[in-house]
Amino acid sequence: MPSFVQELRSAVTGRAAILVIGTLVLQLAFIASYVGAFHSPRPRDVALGVVAPQQISGQLVQRLDGLPGDPLAPRAVDGGEAAAARKIHNRDLDAALIVDPRGTTDTLLVASGAGASLAQATEAVLTRAEAVEGRKVRVKDVAPAAAGDARGLTAFYLAVGWCVGGYLCAAILAISAGARPANSHRAVIRLGALALYAAAAGLFGAVIAGPVLDALPGSIPGLWGLGALVVFAVGATTLALQGLAGVVGIGLAIAIVVVLGNPSAGGAYPYPLLPPFWNAIGPALPPGAGTWSARSIAYFGGNGLAPSLLVLGAWAVAGVVVTMACAVLKRQEKNSEE
């Protein structure tokens, strides 16, 4: 009879041990990333417009800019309340303070559709700052979240669902027919299957979040196109990573999309409430770009879409290029061996 040590060596291969250790590292990274992003949210550099008479505008901007912890990034806005509201709808500002020189109550314009936590944090900061001057703040929501969109989180969960579908579809393609496509034709077939899946996933996700659950307003065709792009971008990236690293590429995709991308997406806490690291990487990753775009379509008339769509397009194109390149190289290696 073989000894226990011999059985252990036979049962647990070096490859299995490496994969288990990699899983542990991924799990710990998941915990560190989520706890690091969410454990202490506080506003940093909230883009605040200030509408005030010229004689006090500069002094007020300077005072707000000097608040401890730099919660605000204020700048003067000309044109009155209407101009400030337009800048919020264009996604150039997160909020705006409209000063009433004839009274003691000022108006704070917010957009809860971009995230209720950001609107509430901005209100809290300005309420304290105004109280020091003996003034009060009245809040006006110029882009309110829909009744079925609790705290403006639907766009985030929709984007996360699309991302999950993207890397799961790519992972299933790898499990069913090998992590690395045997040749360029197989790579094209996989990318084509992914594109069809992305189109279906984008449509069904938009319909469920919109007409079925009445959770997210906005253009169904617009959300459909966005969803298809998010799913394809994440799926193509996963295929590319599998082409580079085999089955380990699935773990790398999860690290990028889930471990780094989800907590930095600006969902539960929009970008100005996240620590600097997550604030910096969020807009460049698919979950963040998808969340920002979905909110833009739902609440801001599609304003501010271009940068996030470029990010998603870049991930999609890079995924296609790397996937095809890996397939060509594998075919060349096989031909040289023959």
Side-chain angles (χ1 to χ4, degrees):
M1 294 290 293
S3 66
F4 176 78
V5 174
Q6 291 174 325
E7 288 283 5
L8 180 64
R9 288 176 178 175
S10 175
V12 182
T13 64
R15 177 183 174 82
I18 292 173
L19 290 175
V20 169
I21 293 171
T23 301
L24 176 61
V25 171
L26 195 63
Q27 174 189 341
L28 297 178
F30 181 97
I31 294 171
S33 184
Y34 277 74
V35 175
F38 296 154
H39 78 288
S40 182
R42 64 181 182 86
R44 297 174 181 84
D45 297 324
V46 176
L48 177 74
V50 177
V51 178
Q54 188 174 3
Q55 58 269 29
I56 65 170
S57 178
Q59 182 180 1
L60 178 58
V61 168
Q62 185 176 7
R63 180 170 65 84
L64 294 174
D65 192 36
L67 292 176
D70 297 321
L72 304 175
R75 59 180 182 267
V77 173
D78 297 325
E81 180 177 334
R86 281 195 302 271
K87 286 185 176 293
I88 293 175
H89 280 285
N90 290 336
R91 311 213 73 180
D92 296 325
L93 294 175
D94 296 316
L97 180 66
I98 315 300
V99 176
D100 180 6
R102 297 169 296 180
T104 59
T105 300
D106 299 327
T107 301
L108 174 63
L109 306 183
V110 299
S112 61
S117 56
L118 177 58
Q120 292 169 354
T122 306
E123 178 186 353
V125 169
L126 284 169
T127 297
R128 291 192 298 268
E130 291 278 82
V132 173
E133 303 296 321
R135 302 183 67 84
K136 298 179 180 179
V137 173
R138 177 176 64 92
V139 177
K140 181 177 179 181
D141 198 339
V142 297
D149 185 9
R151 299 185 61 79
L153 290 174
T154 300
F156 168 62
Y157 290 125
L158 180 59
V160 168
W162 281 330
C163 289
V164 169
Y167 66 72
L168 284 182
C169 178
I172 289 171
L173 289 172
I175 293 171
S176 63
R180 296 181 176 94
N183 53 55
S184 58
H185 292 164
R186 294 289 182 88
V188 169
I189 292 171
R190 289 191 184 187
L191 290 168
L194 175 63
L196 292 174
Y197 175 87
L203 175 60
F204 292 139
V207 170
I208 290 172
V212 173
L213 297 178
D214 197 24
L216 195 68
S219 164
I220 294 300
L223 289 172
W224 178 11
L226 171 64
L229 179 57
V230 171
V231 174
F232 186 81
V234 172
T237 299
T238 305
L239 289 177
L241 292 172
Q242 290 170 173
L244 292 170
V247 70
V248 175
I250 299 173
L252 295 177
I254 292 174
I256 293 171
V257 177
V258 179
V259 174
L260 295 176
N262 286 357
S264 66
Y269 297 120
Y271 296 138
L273 300 181
L274 294 175
F277 173 74
W278 288 268
N279 180 302
I281 66 173
L285 297 176
T291 300
W292 176 276
S293 298
R295 283 174 171 163
S296 291
I297 292 170
Y299 297 113
F300 300 94
N303 293 322
L305 272 177
S308 55
L309 292 182
L310 287 174
V311 167
L312 292 170
W315 282 98
V317 171
V320 170
V321 170
V322 173
T323 298
M324 294 300 300
C326 289
V328 170
L329 289 174
K330 183 173 182 180
R331 183 61 182 175
Q332 290 176 346
E333 290 176 358
K334 184 176 180 180
N335 290 340
S336 63
E337 292 174 358
E338 293 174 353

